[in-house]
Amino acid sequence: MKNDLIVIVDDELEITSSYEILMRREGFKNYALYNDPLKFMEDLPDLNPAVLFLYLRMPGIEGEDILQTVSSEKMNTSIFIVSGTEDVETAVRCIKKGALDYLVKPIDRSRFQTAIMKGLEVYGVKAELDVVKACLTKSSSQQNANFKHIITRNSEMMSLFGYLEAISEGNSSVLITGETGTGKELFAEALHKSSGRKGEFVTVNVSALEENMFNDTLFGHVKGAFTGADKERKGLLATAAGGTIFLDEIGDMAEASQIKLLRVLQNMEFLPIGSDKLYKTTARIIAATNADLEKKVKEGLFRRDLYYRLKVHSVNILPLRERKEDIELLFYHFYEKFMNGDNKESINVPD
């Protein structure tokens, strides 16, 4: 994400220099600064900015005109209009033309960082959706081998393979829903294998973890954090670095644990028990549940903000009764598996 290009166009050198300092402090290295908006327009065909900050009033061409041009190019760029004055009418007009937000100077470090992270997140989702559209046009004969162990010939299930393959290389969280026994973990593991991630695929049933156990299991602890903590323990988020962590039965998670997970999803960082140092996580989060989360949200049993953070991408797996064409396939799959095992007693296969 931090390798995506960030561009700032502002005719004031002092302003762009201050932005540059902020970006360096936050670890962003791929950026471009323009004090001449016309030069930016000249270079635009060779740029593919993930995030673009445009000052509204500039000589030669105004930010609003640049906004309209970039938006018409069907680029996935997240555009922020920056102005020295708060003008609701102009803000509404810019957002209708494609701006993600309208910011008023001066922009402090926290607001600037939040805008960048929001812009990169939106850019990433748009880019993933482009890949989705391309992958969904693939024929079933081009099915990703990582999904071949999931036995089905149901067209809706096959479409899920294409969708999951399309989003596999992204970083956004994924929510998998479906009844018990539909194979949610199989889908999550196939998604991980398709991603090319070099880290581990780590699974944990979060419904079985009360708050303290949840914190220790996911975040780990430092030596001496509590009685009996005689050595440091690495949490599962650290174990899954560069890989995927699969959180099963997310719908039964305690409220306190929901808050902790929300913070991870918002900032992609966690705090081990007893530590005063935050650690970044590079693990992709896939969650699964057999519960109706929308209903739980309405009942106040599941946080709405967490729900939407988890379901950036979401898939629902059909139960077997809704894909009866798979029954025969599954029967012969398990029959063959049985006959190739230790127990080879003859059984009658009905016509």
Side-chain angles (χ1 to χ4, degrees):
M1 185 179 283
K2 287 200 172 183
N3 292 323
D4 293 323
L5 177 63
I6 300 168
V7 176
I8 296 174
V9 184
D10 193 310
D11 60 312
E12 294 186 41
L13 179 60
E14 184 179 341
I15 297 295
T16 52
S17 296
S18 64
Y19 284 142
E20 182 174 24
I21 293 170
L22 289 174
M23 285 191 287
R24 285 182 173 178
R25 284 178 179 172
E26 297 301 328
F28 295 102
K29 298 178 181 178
N30 190 19
Y31 58 84
L33 308 174
Y34 287 86
N35 297 119
D36 182 353
L38 294 176
K39 173 61 176 170
F40 167 72
M41 293 300 289
E42 181 183 324
D43 292 350
L44 182 59
D46 299 320
L47 301 172
N48 183 26
V51 180
L52 173 62
F53 290 88
L54 287 172
Y55 187 53
L56 188 62
R57 309 294 179 198
M58 293 182 288
I61 183 171
E62 298 215 339
E64 193 171 342
D65 296 323
I66 298 176
L67 164 67
Q68 194 157 346
T69 300
V70 175
S71 296
S72 67
E73 293 291 328
K74 304 297 182 185
M75 303 172 77
N76 290 327
T77 307
S78 297
I79 306 171
F80 293 89
I81 292 293
V82 181
S83 175
T85 59
E86 191 165 347
D87 184 336
V88 175
E89 186 177 333
T90 302
V92 171
R93 190 172 63 246
C94 289
I95 289 172
K96 284 183 177 179
K97 288 182 178 180
L100 184 59
D101 206 347
Y102 181 94
L103 308 176
V104 179
K105 291 182 178 179
I107 305 171
D108 62 28
R109 178 178 178 178
S110 176
R111 184 75 182 91
F112 183 62
Q113 181 188 21
T114 299
I116 289 179
M117 297 309 294
K118 179 182 177 182
L120 289 173
E121 183 178 3
V122 171
Y123 172 80
V125 171
K126 286 181 179 178
E128 287 177 20
L129 289 175
D130 283 345
V131 179
V132 169
K133 292 173 185 175
C135 281
L136 290 180
T137 61
K138 291 171 65 175
S139 68
S140 59
S141 63
Q142 296 173 293
Q143 182 186 330
N144 187 319
N146 292 309
F147 293 91
K148 288 190 179 296
H149 66 289
I150 301 175
I151 311 300
T152 186
R153 57 186 170 199
N154 176 271
S155 59
E156 192 169 333
M157 295 283 279
M158 299 293 283
S159 294
L160 290 185
F161 296 164
Y163 179 75
L164 290 172
E165 181 186 357
I167 66 172
S168 62
E169 294 184 11
N171 298 309
S172 302
S173 55
V174 182
L175 177 63
I176 302 176
T177 58
E179 296 178 11
T180 300
T182 50
K184 296 184 287 295
E185 186 172 337
L186 287 176
F187 276 80
E189 188 169 11
L191 175 58
H192 168 72
K193 289 179 179 177
S194 296
S195 71
R197 287 174 167 264
K198 296 180 180 179
E200 295 182 36
F201 176 72
V202 178
T203 67
V204 56
N205 185 328
V206 293
S207 69
L209 304 176
E210 50 83 27
E211 183 184 357
N212 290 334
M213 186 63 73
F214 176 88
N215 294 342
D216 196 27
T217 301
L218 260 67
F219 311 142
H221 64 253
V222 298
K223 183 178 179 181
F226 49 83
T227 303
D230 53 353
K231 61 180 179 180
E232 180 179 321
R233 180 181 184 275
K234 185 167 69 170
L236 294 183
L237 275 174
T239 303
T244 302
I245 185 163
F246 176 62
L247 307 178
D248 201 8
E249 303 299 345
I250 200 83
D252 298 321
M253 192 165 55
E255 183 179 0
S257 299
Q258 291 179 35
I259 295 171
K260 296 287 179 62
L261 181 58
L262 177 62
R263 289 173 182 162
V264 174
L265 286 164
Q266 286 175 327
N267 304 314
M268 296 309 292
E269 57 188 20
F270 62 95
L271 186 68
I273 298 173
S275 175
D276 56 3
K277 178 183 177 183
L278 284 168
Y279 290 84
K280 288 287 184 183
T281 176
T282 54
R284 186 182 200 172
I285 295 175
I286 302 178
T289 182
N290 59 8
D292 183 343
L293 285 190
E294 286 193 11
K295 183 180 178 183
K296 280 181 169 281
V297 167
K298 290 176 183 177
E299 293 173 346
L301 300 175
F302 199 86
R303 292 183 64 95
R304 185 180 299 275
D305 45 6
L306 176 59
Y307 173 58
Y308 287 113
R309 280 281 176 179
L310 286 170
K311 65 167 296 186
V312 175
H313 297 292
S314 62
V315 296
N316 181 63
I317 305 172
L318 296 176
L320 187 57
R321 66 176 178 277
E322 293 183 23
R323 47 188 178 94
K324 293 181 180 178
E325 64 269 42
D326 288 344
I327 293 175
E328 185 179 3
L329 276 178
L330 288 165
F331 174 82
Y332 281 104
H333 167 74
F334 288 112
Y335 172 74
E336 183 179 352
K337 188 175 181 180
F338 175 83
M339 294 304 292
N340 288 334
D342 294 332
N343 190 344
K344 298 186 184 293
E345 292 181 13
S346 176
I347 61 174
N348 293 321
V349 180
D351 295 330

